[in-house]
Amino acid sequence: MAKKGYTQRTRDFLGQEKVKYFVGGMVTAYVIKKVAETDAAHKAAVSLTAGALNIKDNIESGIENIKEDAEDIHEEAKEKQQIEIYGPEDVEEEEEKEDEE
């Protein structure tokens, strides 16, 4: 069996799939780092973050509106239940007493 030379061993090593992925990953990371350092990338990141914050604020506002609507529905349902149980006159008298306090 013939000994492989330095050049052939290097080619065999670099020809391995794992080594190719490792080197490719290193090159990609370097390129991304250099691109991320540019002003255009910085401005794009700021714009994307601002957009995400606007979306978050809109979602929070929508959730708050849903909560308020649910509370209103709950209160109306309680009033309706009180009217069904005690009758409209007794419920109106109770509300007047609460308003006076």
Side-chain angles (χ1 to χ4, degrees), residues 31-45:
V31 169
I32 289 173
K33 179 182 179 285
K34 287 300 180 183
V35 169
E37 291 174 348
T38 65
D39 286 339
H42 178 77
K43 289 177 184 177

Side-chain angles (χ1 to χ4, degrees), residues 13 29 38 68 71 97:
F13 176 75
T38 65
E68 290 173 2
E71 289 172 357
K97 288 180 185 177

